[in-house]
Each structure stands twice: as structure tokens, then as C-alpha cells.
């Protein structure tokens, strides 16, 4: 039935226009959700190899090791430099102050990444891995039922045509 429909040799039962609109909206929602999810992951972790590593840890249900943010790393370097120059020197005091600020910025960045992952990315993933899979499965079932219906209609039409032909020849 599917092949005959594609070749234009069989009639296709059309679905309700409102239902077709819902299917189109569902496809659009899925596509945009995937794009937003991917781009947000890139924003939160610009390093592709680190993203792959986090993905593997997630799929293996293991805890992702915490990484030092760039701000925290800079703060560590500034603090070490301040200790090298001497905390009593003007340059050392400045490095300590700026290093402490960088440390707080890095901690805030880490908290933002964690919060965005839990509160924003998790619902998007849940939609794609849960709701969308259900929608796709039900869509395939509906398509198969429609094909079965159309095949039965075609057989009935052929049977009626054969019956009419037999009645004419008798």
C-alpha cells in the first residue's frame, strides 16, 4: 500500500487538517528544541572534547568530574603570583584582590552552568527522550493503521468491481 501510494497508484486517506497542523507543530517543536539544546550546551561548555566526555559520563550514569572554570584557574594563578611577589607589595595586594574576585566569578559561573543544566537542559532532554519518542511511536502506529485501512479499502473496491463485472457478464 505504501509503495503504491508513493508511485501514485493508490488513494491515500487524508488525516484531519487540525491533526496535520498538530503534527507539523510537534515537528517544529522537536527541531527547535534540538537546536536550542545543542547551542546551549555549546554556550555552557565551549570545548567540544569536554562536551563529548560529559556526554559519555552521562550515558554511563557516572558522575561528571568537576572542572575548574577558567575564572577559578586565573584566580589560582593570581594568588600564587601574589604570594611569589609578596602579599605586602602593591602588585601582590592587587593580585590578591583581583584573584579573589576572579575566584568568586568562577564560582558563580560554575553555579550558573550547574543551574542551567538542571533547570533548563534537563526538561529539554526529557521532552526529546520521553515525550518525543512517544509521539513518534504513536505516529508510526497511526501511519500503519492508515495503510491497513487503505489496503482494505482497495481490496473492497477491487472485490466490488469484480462482483459488478461478474453481474454484468451473467
Amino acid at each position: 500500500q505504501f509503495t503504491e501510494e508513493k508511485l501514485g497508484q493508490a488513494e491515500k486517506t487524508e488525516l484531519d487538517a487540525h491533526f496535520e497542523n498538530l503534527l507539523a507543530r510537534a515537528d517544529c517543536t522537536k527541531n527547535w528544541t534540538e537546536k536550542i539544546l545543542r547551542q546551549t550546551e555549546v554556550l555552557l561548555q565551549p570545548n567540544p572534547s569536554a562536551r563529548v566526555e560529559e556526554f559519555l559520563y552521562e550515558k554511563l550514569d557516572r558522575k561528571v568530574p568537576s572542572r575548574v572554570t577558567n575564572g577559578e584557574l586565573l584566580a589560582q594563578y593570581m594568588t600564587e603570583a601574589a604570594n611569589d611577589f609578596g602579599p605586602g607589595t602593591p602588585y601582590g595586594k592587587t593580585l590578591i584582590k583581583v584573584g579573589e574576585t576572579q575566584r568568586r566569578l568562577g564560582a558563580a559561573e560554575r553555579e550558573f552552568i550547574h543551574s542551567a543544566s538542571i533547570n533548563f537542559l534537563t526538561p529539554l532532554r526529557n521532552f526529546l527522550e520521553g515525550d518525543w519518542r512517544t509521539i513518534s511511536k504513536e505516529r508510526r502506529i497511526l501511519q500503519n493503521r492508515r495503510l491497513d485501512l487503505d489496503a482494505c479499502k482497495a481490496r473492497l473496491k477491487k472485490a466490488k468491481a469484480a462482483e459488478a463485472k461478474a453481474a454484468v457478464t451473467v
Side-chain angles (χ1 to χ4, degrees):
Q1 181 66 33
F2 181 77
T3 306
E4 288 180 4
E5 284 179 10
K6 291 297 179 186
L7 295 174
Q9 297 173 349
E11 290 183 33
K12 177 180 176 182
T13 302
E14 295 299 323
L15 298 173
D16 180 51
H18 178 67
F19 186 73
E20 289 285 351
N21 184 28
L22 286 175
L23 290 176
R25 285 180 45 204
D27 288 336
C28 185
T29 301
K30 180 220 179 226
N31 292 336
W32 280 109
T33 302
E34 286 177 335
K35 288 178 184 177
I36 291 168
L37 177 73
R38 277 194 306 269
Q39 194 56 43
T40 304
E41 288 172 338
V42 168
L43 174 75
L44 295 177
Q45 178 51 268
N47 184 345
S49 61
R51 278 197 312 271
V52 169
E53 181 183 355
E54 289 172 2
F55 175 77
L56 290 175
Y57 274 108
E58 185 180 307
K59 289 300 176 189
L60 296 173
D61 288 330
R62 290 199 164 168
K63 188 175 185 288
V64 179
S66 66
R67 284 193 169 75
V68 177
T69 64
N70 291 330
E72 290 171 322
L73 188 59
L74 179 60
Q76 181 181 343
Y77 290 163
M78 287 180 168
T79 304
E80 289 173 9
N83 289 334
D84 229 13
F85 287 113
T89 65
Y91 188 44
K93 285 180 188 177
T94 303
L95 285 174
I96 288 174
K97 281 184 181 179
V98 175
E100 180 58 29
T101 303
Q102 280 297 329
R103 187 192 60 72
R104 286 192 306 239
L105 283 171
E109 179 184 8
R110 179 193 305 275
E111 177 58 32
F112 168 74
I113 290 169
H114 179 70
S115 175
S117 178
I118 290 173
N119 299 320
F120 186 70
L121 294 178
T122 300
L124 295 179
R125 283 190 190 105
N126 288 344
F127 168 74
L128 292 172
E129 294 170 3
D131 297 341
W132 181 253
R133 283 195 177 148
T134 302
I135 290 169
S136 296
K137 180 181 151 202
E138 296 298 328
R139 184 185 254 176
R140 282 189 303 275
I141 291 170
L142 176 64
Q143 177 74 354
N144 289 335
R145 298 292 189 263
R146 187 196 58 74
L147 288 169
D148 291 344
L149 173 67
D150 289 348
C152 289
K153 282 181 179 179
R155 272 189 261 138
L156 179 64
K157 190 175 180 181
K158 286 179 185 177
K160 282 185 179 181
E163 189 178 291
K165 186 178 179 182
V168 170
T169 58
V170 173

